Amino acid sequence: MRLRLTDILTKGGHEVIGEAENGLEAIEKYAQLKPDLVTMDITMPVMEGIDAVKGIKKIDPNASVIMCSAMGQQQMVLNAIQAGAKDFVVKPFQADRVLDAIKKIV
């Protein structure tokens, strides 16, 4: 799924400057790279995406995060938005939806 998302982003004219294997690594990478936008899965090993969003928001309250979720995770998406995510996209990814979400945020 990460490869598909990277493909959509690069074809849409965006640069991917980092990737993380889990939520804890995502927080560390955010602190190091300070990207304009983060796309993050809700379900990840070590630390879930919702907790990672909270960690990123502690570093930078203005961080822009788009959560990625599978169908049937509506409550988790709501929790992610309450944690500070600015939008969400549903997997499997549709290029137009991903790029529209980014356009609204950056």
Side-chain angles (χ1 to χ4, degrees), residues 21-54:
E21 297 281 328
N22 59 64
L24 186 58
E25 187 179 328
I27 295 169
E28 293 167 355
K29 290 265 184 163
Y30 185 88
Q32 175 189 8
L33 300 172
K34 301 283 193 209
D36 294 333
L37 175 79
V38 174
T39 56
M40 185 173 330
D41 203 336
I42 287 179
T43 306
M44 293 188 292
V46 182
M47 177 187 286
E48 293 286 343
I50 293 169
D51 291 329
V53 170
K54 292 175 184 176

Side-chain angles (χ1 to χ4, degrees), residues 66 87-90 93-102 104:
I66 296 176
D87 203 348
F88 69 94
V89 293
V90 177
F93 301 120
Q94 294 180 357
D96 290 345
R97 173 64 182 111
V98 172
L99 296 175
D100 285 346
I102 292 170
K104 285 191 308 188

